[in-house]
Amino acid sequence: MTWCRRGLGILVSVVLLLGLPSLAWGAENPLGSGAEVIAEGHALFNKLCTVCHGVDGAPGDRGPAMAAQRRYLRQTDTELFQAIQEGIPDSEMPPMGLPEDDAWRIVAWIRSLRAKAIDVPADGDIQQGSNIFWGKGECGRCHVISGRGGLLGPDLTNLGAQMSLNRIQEAMTVEKPHPPLGYRPVTVTTKGGRTISGVSKNEHNFSLQMIGDDDRLYLFSSEEIDKIVYGEKSLMPTDYDRRLSESEFRDLLAFLSRLSLRRRESSSVEPNQTP
Amino acid sequence: MIAEMSNRAASIGRVLRCAVVAGLLAGGLSAGEVTYEQLLDPPPENWLTYGRTYDSQRHSPLDQITKENVSQLAPAWIFPMPGARRLESVPIVVDGVMYVSQPNEIYALDARAGRQIWKWRREPARQRGNNRGVAVLGNLVYVSTPDAHLVALDARTGSMVWESEIASSEDGYWSPAAPFAIDGRIIAGNAAGDYGLNGWLDAFDATTGERLWRFYTIPRPGEPGNETWAGDSWKTGGGATWLSGSFDPELNLLYWGIGNPAPDFDGEPRRGDNLYTESVVALDADSGKLRWYFQFTPHDLHDWDSVEIPILVDAPYKGRLRKLLVHADRNGFYYVLDRETGEFLEGVPFIDKLNWASGLTETGRPIRVPGVEPTLQGNFVCPSTSGATNWMSPAYNPATNWFYLAVKEGCGVSYKSKQEFRPGGFSYAATGYIESPRFPWQMFVRALDLTTGERKWEYRQVNSRHYGAGLVSTATGLIFAGDDQGFFTALDAVTGDPLWHFNTGTRISASPISYAVKGRQYLAVCSGVNVVTFALPAGPEAD
């Protein structure tokens, strides 16, 4: 886990960003959103702002996280720039009055933290990452990419365009307090004595719809059920930072961050390629 | 275990036994794959294609709901489709899972409980037209979209598996019809005929989404039929494919109704018969090549799309067993054709008010009454452009040997003017029509003798002011109908007497279906923004 957090700055490689029409962010930034600009912004932030905010944009003692799962008040480059330079009235965020270019550098870095993975795809061996997905990581047992794979977890075909790199990492390393809706582990024993385990897609007092671990859909009416036992923990394993080596984890991230319908053509490996 | 159930169960008794077996195995239900063999001979409990069977008869073999007990029919569950406007979708039911659609969205529901299993939503590039349903084959669910794409989803999760373009939405196309699944292929059409955009029918590989063939509804230069368009008028001829069709697996022929020519109301720029608009075409399912066609309204001037679903029946005609295709056209005539050759056998009006033709010739060509064309000042025509019937599906009951349909009596006033074609999806109708205040709209359900078209009975939908629903027929001699006032009604298939009704409260514009889960028979229909289902109250669960 620790290397994972610390390593984020290194893992995030920011190649090929300029000139991609799909990138709205960085458009207002006079310095653009190149890798160097972002790296400089990152260093500046850690140096200047961590009295209050946390290192690397984590939550700090006196200031909020720069990228977290919450709604941001300030969405655009300009809004962030203004917050930094002019401060936020009636709050502890002071006007920083930095040299303009430095402020823009920090803005570029904050935006990269909030970007979807496909906007800032991780560095690494993509083919190797695909091998780990379908092989050692056993991800394909529970996840579908482009029609192939298991059904217990969400479809990951468009993962890179849906989640930030940060959140993808967290999904593999940080246990959720509760299994999310639609993925609650469940074991049903029928009145006929048969036992089916899987995840509950929907349920209430009178019926239950589930995907079994045989990847089939089961539809129960409550009269048919003898017993329901729920799993406390999500089926998603969260020990991949230990289960995989550092380089394997990095390669997997490189693969996952490029899973996107929007850029399918330009990705260098077929997402559903067999190892 | 559903494979065991898939062997054709000839009667509901058999279905019930199968359901018991399934029940013992799982206690619940487990949804399975749909094979081509099942599409050819659907198990009674499933509704697998738009018209239930390839012949589009919409006749359910289920027999739990009868004339005797139908009075006890009660709502089983209601599913409101979030954000819906007016649903026209025909639900598909596979082994207890219902797939129902609206533009850019599909819901998979537990067909017993009405509970959502998954939802697929496509970020709407466009919101054009309606959506009339999905197709199923193997593990996939297929839908066409308002931006004229065909999308394949995993039936178990709603994950997208592939997507192919049917036509360019930039050009102005969309695709409202339910796709049609045959052996390894998905047939999909498109709409935009009123924009002067030419239509076609495509076949896609069911697993890869690769396009296999295309049939152009307006023949291009060098192809037979192109000479039926004056000058370059074929280029903006219309001929949309906005509804599903039917299929004869033995003849390997697809039967599809083709929409109107453009400009709709001004025939001057497009002198000629304007093939294959206002026709039914028979296409080789392997190649998409035209085998035969029959044109109902040559050189149409009233926007009478001939897309109405053709029903295929093997029945005696004049002493000989014939492979028939019957079709009630928006122009007001009921047609009986030989579906091997396209030969015209019979044609009679199924409405009382029809003023544009005095009859049909021996070959089925309308004998036009002069002076009924649209004019600058407006001209009186019966039926009006909305037609004597429309997208709402008819049904056929083999026991009565009658054809049942939703009929509109009423007349209109049609206008025309000059209009230039504009590329990019703009109306090219050259004006339009109003419903005539002199003969206001009136809907009926009518029963016609299959081969003579003779009217057997009619049920008047009192106070109807708009189109109603399509029909479903059941093995117990019931016809289920809906109307714009929101009433869902069971009629006696022999007498036309209403035996039961329920007020759903919102306009019904879709066609109903019947299915069964674990031995309990249901009816389902999209009404307004809801999917509404009905069953007998103490419906015996399989035990």
Side-chain angles (χ1 to χ4, degrees):
Chain A
M1 183 61 221
T2 34
W3 62 262
C4 190
R5 267 274 163 86
R6 194 165 20 83
L8 181 61
I10 312 157
L11 291 180
V12 177
S13 99
V14 200
V15 279
L16 288 170
L17 281 179
L18 281 169
L20 277 177
S22 55
L23 287 180
W25 69 280
E28 301 166 20
N29 194 325
L31 303 185
S33 50
E36 225 166 89
V37 177
I38 288 172
E40 288 164 2
H42 186 187
L44 281 166
F45 182 90
N46 279 347
K47 197 169 87 189
L48 300 173
C49 317
T50 44
V51 213
C52 300
H53 299 283
V55 178
D56 294 336
D61 293 337
R62 294 166 61 197
M66 287 296 106
Q69 282 187 49
R70 64 175 187 128
R71 279 194 61 191
Y72 299 107
L73 207 52
R74 292 158 196 85
Q75 307 273 1
T76 66
D77 291 354
T78 309
E79 283 165 352
L80 287 168
F81 182 84
Q82 278 169 357
I84 296 167
Q85 294 299 68
E86 293 157 26
I88 297 173
D90 301 324
S91 86
E92 280 190 66
M93 172 70 201
M96 298 303 291
L98 306 179
E100 288 214 347
D101 281 1
D102 283 356
W104 282 122
R105 287 184 176 99
I106 296 175
V107 168
W109 171 74
I110 296 173
R111 291 303 297 274
S112 80
L113 285 184
R114 297 179 182 183
K116 300 300 181 206
I118 187 70
D119 298 323
V120 279
D123 243 350
D125 185 334
I126 303 164
Q127 181 58 60
Q128 197 50 40
S130 167
N131 295 348
I132 290 158
F133 187 94
W134 298 111
K136 184 173 174 184
E138 296 191 328
C139 320
R141 189 154 69 81
C142 303
H143 292 285
V144 163
I145 295 177
S146 297
R148 171 175 170 231
L151 305 180
L152 292 175
D155 187 313
L156 302 182
T157 309
N158 200 26
L159 181 69
Q162 286 167 333
M163 280 170 78
S164 70
L165 199 52
N166 239 337
R167 279 195 55 209
I168 296 176
Q169 284 205 29
E170 274 174 20
M172 294 189 287
T173 53
V174 183
E175 196 180 303
K176 292 187 175 120
H178 308 285
L181 215 65
Y183 298 99
R184 197 175 181 194
V186 68
T187 300
V188 167
T189 309
T190 67
K191 291 218 169 116
R194 196 169 162 211
T195 301
I196 294 149
S197 296
V199 293
S200 160
K201 292 279 124 187
N202 202 352
E203 61 188 291
H204 71 135
N205 305 59
F206 310 111
S207 72
L208 184 147
Q209 294 76 26
M210 65 179 286
I211 295 265
D213 46 23
D214 57 358
D215 282 349
R216 297 185 71 162
L217 187 60
Y218 290 89
L219 308 173
F220 292 105
S221 151
S222 51
E223 307 94 69
E224 294 153 356
I225 298 178
D226 184 38
K227 202 167 75 181
I228 304 178
V229 179
Y230 295 104
E232 298 282 306
K233 284 184 178 182
S234 170
L235 297 181
M236 172 66 200
T238 48
D239 59 350
Y240 283 110
D241 48 348
R242 276 163 280 144
R243 231 199 268 187
L244 302 176
S245 76
E246 196 164 332
S247 78
E248 285 171 335
F249 193 88
R250 191 189 58 195
D251 294 343
L252 179 60
L253 271 183
F255 171 69
L256 295 173
S257 59
R258 284 173 178 78
L259 292 173
S260 165
L261 292 168
R262 129 150 94 99
R263 284 180 52 191
R264 161 99 36 101
E265 318 78 48
S266 58
S267 91
S268 58
V269 67
E270 276 291 303
N272 58 353
Q273 202 165 308
T274 335
Chain B
M1 98 213 69
I2 295 304
E4 287 132 60
M5 292 175 67
S6 72
N7 300 328
R8 167 75 150 146
S11 71
I12 185 77
R14 171 87 186 282
V15 177
L16 283 167
R17 280 197 300 280
C18 290
V20 174
V21 173
L24 286 177
L25 283 177
L29 281 166
S30 134
E33 290 192 21
V34 177
T35 62
Y36 176 58
E37 285 63 39
Q38 286 173 344
L39 292 181
L40 286 171
D41 191 5
E45 68 274 19
N46 285 348
W47 190 285
L48 299 180
T49 58
Y50 192 74
R52 203 191 103 82
T53 40
Y54 280 142
D55 52 24
S56 300
Q57 291 183 359
R58 299 185 67 78
H59 178 75
S60 169
L62 295 172
D63 58 7
Q64 190 172 73
I65 299 166
T66 64
K67 290 182 192 180
E68 288 68 41
N69 65 20
V70 67
S71 63
Q72 298 164 43
L73 204 58
W77 52 261
I78 294 175
F79 182 80
M81 291 265 268
R85 284 177 298 176
R86 181 166 48 90
L87 298 175
E88 283 181 17
S89 178
V90 171
I92 293 292
V93 176
V94 185
D95 301 340
V97 181
M98 176 184 287
Y99 305 98
V100 62
S101 59
Q102 62 173 331
N104 289 313
E105 276 182 16
I106 302 180
Y107 290 82
L109 306 176
D110 182 328
R112 266 195 303 181
R115 298 281 291 175
Q116 181 176 323
I117 300 163
W118 55 255
K119 165 190 178 171
W120 170 81
R121 179 180 159 80
R122 176 190 172 78
E123 278 317 314
R126 271 170 212 259
Q127 273 294 352
R128 251 184 189 154
N130 223 314
N131 184 282
R132 298 203 170 79
V134 305
V136 287
L137 182 62
N139 254 335
L140 302 183
V141 177
Y142 304 87
V143 73
S144 56
T145 65
D147 59 350
H149 283 223
L150 180 66
V151 180
L153 309 174
D154 189 315
R156 299 163 299 176
T157 57
S159 300
M160 194 177 87
V161 176
W162 56 256
E163 170 172 5
S164 293
E165 188 180 86
I166 300 167
S168 159
S169 69
E170 297 298 306
D171 289 350
Y173 287 94
W174 70 98
S175 183
F180 194 85
I182 56 173
D183 193 8
R185 279 154 293 172
I186 307 298
I187 315 298
N190 57 56
D194 299 330
Y195 294 175
L197 298 173
N198 290 3
W200 51 78
L201 202 63
D202 283 335
F204 293 92
D205 183 294
T207 30
T208 65
E210 186 200 349
R211 176 146 64 83
L212 303 173
W213 53 253
R214 170 168 291 176
F215 169 76
Y216 289 94
T217 62
I218 311 293
R220 292 160 304 164
E223 292 171 357
N226 183 264
E227 73 288 350
T228 64
W229 295 85
D232 275 350
S233 63
W234 66 272
K235 286 184 177 166
T236 53
T241 45
W242 59 265
L243 215 55
S244 278
S246 303
F247 177 52
D248 183 330
E250 269 173 41
L251 298 175
N252 199 32
L253 289 179
L254 289 161
Y255 302 95
W256 231 266
I258 311 296
N260 60 279
D264 304 24
F265 295 91
D266 181 13
E268 207 51 41
R270 52 171 173 89
R271 290 183 182 213
D273 277 358
N274 307 142
L275 291 173
Y276 297 100
T277 68
E278 310 300 10
S279 304
V280 61
V281 294
L283 305 179
D284 183 293
D286 291 334
S287 64
K289 292 260 176 342
L290 181 73
R291 187 71 64 77
W292 59 257
Y293 71 93
F294 179 86
Q295 193 176 36
F296 304 102
T297 315
H299 193 70
D300 172 38
L301 299 168
H302 292 103
D303 186 8
W304 283 326
D305 300 81
S306 290
V307 296
E308 299 75 41
I309 300 289
I311 291 187
L312 315 183
V313 186
D314 294 346
Y317 174 77
K318 298 202 168 147
R320 184 153 79 80
L321 189 70
R322 298 282 284 261
K323 284 176 165 290
L324 304 176
L325 178 154
V326 295
H327 166 96
D329 198 88
R330 203 160 137 179
N331 73 11
F333 284 95
Y334 172 73
Y335 296 84
V336 182
L337 307 178
D338 181 315
R339 73 173 182 275
E340 281 180 86
T341 60
E343 184 196 347
F344 168 79
L345 303 176
E346 294 292 336
V348 289
F350 60 90
I351 49 173
D352 297 333
K353 291 198 246 347
L354 189 152
N355 76 344
W356 68 278
S358 58
L360 304 175
T361 67
E362 268 183 13
T363 57
R365 210 178 156 86
I367 304 161
R368 297 235 185 204
V369 174
V372 204
E373 304 77 42
T375 60
L376 211 53
Q377 282 76 24
N379 210 349
F380 188 68
V381 61
C382 314
S384 74
T385 289
S386 50
T389 188
N390 209 309
W391 70 85
M392 49 291 306
S393 295
Y396 168 75
N397 181 329
T400 57
N401 197 33
W402 295 348
F403 177 91
Y404 301 86
L405 79 165
V407 177
K408 190 208 114 185
E409 291 279 3
C411 304
V413 183
S414 291
Y415 302 83
K416 77 162 178 182
S417 64
K418 288 285 158 216
Q419 189 170 17
E420 286 296 310
F421 171 78
R422 263 173 82 198
F426 299 94
S427 169
Y428 185 45
T431 86
Y433 80 106
I434 56 165
E435 298 293 339
S436 163
R438 278 206 285 144
F439 293 95
W441 192 295
Q442 179 58 59
M443 292 296 302
F444 296 88
V445 178
R446 283 180 182 160
L448 311 180
D449 180 89
L450 181 80
T451 47
T452 66
E454 184 199 339
R455 191 179 309 165
K456 294 298 184 179
W457 54 253
E458 71 178 21
Y459 169 75
R460 184 186 173 92
Q461 294 172 321
V462 174
N463 204 11
S464 49
R465 289 162 237 166
H466 203 274
Y467 281 122
L471 307 174
V472 64
S473 155
T474 73
T476 50
L478 295 170
I479 297 287
F480 287 87
D483 63 38
D484 72 313
Q485 301 298 300
F487 284 82
F488 192 55
T489 307
L491 303 172
D492 184 318
V494 177
T495 63
D497 292 336
L499 302 177
W500 167 89
H501 64 269
F502 180 83
N503 182 357
T504 67
T506 46
R507 186 203 293 179
I508 307 176
S509 316
S511 300
I513 65 162
S514 188
Y515 63 94
V517 187
K518 297 201 88 186
R520 189 177 185 196
Q521 184 183 357
Y522 295 80
L523 281 127
V525 70
C526 287
S527 164
V529 302
N530 299 315
V531 185
V532 187
T533 62
F534 302 89
L536 294 174
E541 288 273 322
D543 51 31

